[in-house]
Amino acid sequence: MSHLVSIQTEVRDPAAIRAACDRLHLPEPVFGQTKLYSSTATGWAVRLPDWRYPIVCDVSTAQIAFDNFGGRWGEQVQLDRFFQGYAVERTKIEARKKGHSVTEQPLEDGSVKLTIQVGGAV
C-alpha cells in the first residue's frame, strides 16, 4: 500500500540541521550569534555554497534569518537544497526513532522519494 505525503518543513531540530549539512557536504553548523549584512541573528549558522553570509536557524521559533540581497549574495537554489536535505534527514530521524526503516530514492526532477517500512528498523 502506498501513501504519498507532502511535508512542510519547520527547521527545529539541531540534529537534523547537522545531518543536512553532512548530507550536502557543508561545513558543520555553529550555534551562536552571527553577523549578517546589517543585523545579527542567534541560532544555528549554516554556510551555504557561494553565499556571502550564512543562514541562521532559530530552532525555538523555526525562523530562518538570512540576507542574500535578492539572490545577488546567494542563490535561492542552495537554500532550497538545504530545506530539502533537512526535511529528508528529519523524516529519517523520526522514522527510525519509531522503529521503522527508511529507503531513499532520488528522482529525476530533483525531489527525493522516501519509503518508510513500518516496523522494519535495521
Side-chain angles (χ1 to χ4, degrees), residues 22-88:
D22 286 346
R23 171 190 191 88
L24 298 171
H25 307 289
L26 301 175
E28 187 163 328
V30 176
F31 183 82
Q33 191 172 54
T34 301
K35 181 171 180 5
L36 302 176
Y37 174 69
S38 61
S39 64
T40 59
T42 301
W44 290 95
V46 175
R47 289 226 160 258
L48 299 177
D50 301 321
W51 275 52
R52 184 173 293 183
Y53 299 99
I55 64 168
V56 181
C57 308
D58 181 342
V59 296
S60 65
T61 63
Q63 296 294 308
I64 308 296
F66 66 92
D67 188 349
N68 71 344
F69 195 27
R72 292 180 191 97
W73 294 344
E75 293 180 322
Q76 178 69 34
V77 67
Q78 298 298 336
L79 182 58
D80 295 343
R81 286 182 63 229
F82 173 75
F83 285 141
Q84 181 186 52
Y86 175 86
V88 167

